[in-house]
């Protein structure tokens, strides 16, 4: 059986609304064209964009209008996720957005515990676990992020840090289809530095042992079209979480092409 590959764009707090709409159309038009070209391809990567939450409702409207969002067709187009949610369903939490609200406007996934949330919003593993549970209860798939800092990496503490983050932020009752794990070394995010592919491979193998068998594990941190193929071809890597390179049609579509190639090569 071929592996599933996820390509997830994390826009962070970037792009004007109109730029976001143009990006979404540019990705979807590329997907329609490339899936028609490779109609023999048995499996296609699953593509997600995670825009700022204020854009989601309108983007979903555009996808429904122009591409029949729900995608009951024979190929799968762009899916939409959010970048964070609150762990409560509703209440006095000024400025926050609940998982139910995101689901109601058409999001299907939500990134939880990104290192920027951990750093700038003091999110702990315990908070992240509650958010992941709230996401599942709302019918969303949480993409739970873990990763070591440069200092921890240099002190050879990567595995111990990841083990603890996974243990404390993944709800113990979760099965493999309830979540996606994203391994993002903090020192690789937005820096252009990435671990050696052998290191990524070893770390993903290690992470696979900490979570239910068959769960998807993404790599994130400075993924670009020219390194995506080598990373996606690794056995325990089931996709990539992309920041900077997800903001431009050409670079994001370049990463999608790498995933299509990897799946075609696996299938041959
Ligand atoms: P980057 O960001 O691709 O710009 O390194 C990745 C992320 O933060 O998810």
């Amino acid at each position: 059986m071929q592996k599933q590959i996820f390509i997830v764009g994390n826009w962070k707090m970037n792009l004007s609304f109109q730029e976001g709409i143009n990006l979404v159309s540019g990705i979807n038009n590329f997907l329609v064209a490339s899936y028609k070209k490779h109609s023999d391809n048995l499996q296609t990567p699953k593509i997600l964009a995670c825009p700022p939450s204020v854009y989601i409702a309108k983007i979903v409207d555009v996808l429904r209008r122009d591409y029949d969002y729900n995608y009951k067709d024979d190929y799968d187009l762009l899916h939409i996720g959010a970048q964070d949610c609150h762990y409560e369903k509703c209440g006095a939490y000024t400025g926050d957005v609940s998982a139910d609200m995101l689901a109601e406007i058409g999001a299907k996934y939500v990134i939880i515990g990104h290192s920027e949330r951990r750093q700038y919003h003091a999110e702990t593993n315990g908070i992240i676990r509650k958010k992941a549970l709230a996401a599942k209860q709302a019918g969303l798939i949480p993409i739970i992020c873990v990763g070591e800092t440069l200092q921890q990496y240099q002190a050879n503490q990567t595995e111990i840090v990841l083990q603890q983050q996974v243990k404390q932020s993944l709800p113990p009752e979760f099965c493999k289809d309830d979540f996606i794990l994203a391994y993002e070394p903090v020192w690789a995010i937005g820096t252009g530095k990435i671990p050696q592919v052998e290191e990524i491979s070893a770390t993903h193998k290690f992470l696979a042992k900490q979570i239910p068998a068959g769960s998807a594990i993404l790599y994130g941190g400075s993924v670009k079209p020219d390194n995506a193929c080598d990373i996606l071809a690794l056995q325990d890597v089931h996709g990539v979480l992309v920041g900077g390179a997800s903001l431009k049609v050409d670079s994001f579509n370049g990463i999608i092409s790498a995933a299509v190639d990897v799946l075609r090569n696996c299938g041959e």
Side-chain angles (χ1 to χ4, degrees), residues 109-186:
Y109 297 80
V110 58
I111 299 170
I112 303 279
H114 189 280
S115 68
E116 287 146 20
R117 300 288 318 173
R118 291 176 185 260
Q119 186 180 352
Y120 305 129
H121 297 265
E123 290 193 7
T124 60
N125 291 324
I127 291 174
I128 290 158
R129 190 176 59 230
K130 289 204 273 182
K131 290 186 173 199
L133 266 175
K136 185 188 172 206
Q137 278 159 8
L140 302 176
I141 299 198
I143 301 169
I144 302 171
C145 301
V146 294
E148 82 285 1
T149 62
L150 183 60
Q151 205 186 14
Q152 291 162 338
Y153 173 75
Q154 286 170 337
N156 270 326
Q157 291 171 341
T158 300
E159 290 193 351
I160 192 125
V161 168
L162 294 180
Q163 188 173 36
Q164 195 178 25
Q165 287 179 339
V166 170
K167 190 160 185 265
Q168 295 178 2
S169 52
L170 182 68
E173 61 270 51
F174 269 19
C175 310
K176 72 177 178 64
D177 295 324
D178 290 336
F179 73 104
I180 294 170
L181 189 69
Y183 166 54
E184 297 203 299
V186 179

Side-chain angles (χ1 to χ4, degrees), residues 10 12 111 114-116 145 184 188-192 220-224 241-246:
N10 173 13
K12 311 191 181 185
I111 299 170
H114 189 280
S115 68
E116 287 146 20
C145 301
E184 297 203 299
I189 295 176
T191 59
S222 295
V223 175
K224 306 276 180 268
L241 179 51
V242 188
S246 75

Side-chain angles (χ1 to χ4, degrees), residues 248-260:
K248 292 214 168 81
V249 175
D250 286 352
S251 49
F252 197 60
N253 288 348
I255 295 171
I256 296 171
S257 293
V260 171

Side-chain angles (χ1 to χ4, degrees), residues 53 82-102 110-112 117 123 127-138 140:
S53 59
Q83 299 173 17
D84 177 50
C85 66
H86 199 276
Y87 53 79
E88 292 290 354
K89 278 181 169 298
C90 58
Y93 299 99
T94 302
D96 278 316
V97 173
S98 74
D100 291 280
M101 292 170 184
L102 295 168
V110 58
I111 299 170
I112 303 279
R117 300 288 318 173
E123 290 193 7
I127 291 174
I128 290 158
R129 190 176 59 230
K130 289 204 273 182
K131 290 186 173 199
L133 266 175
K136 185 188 172 206
Q137 278 159 8
L140 302 176

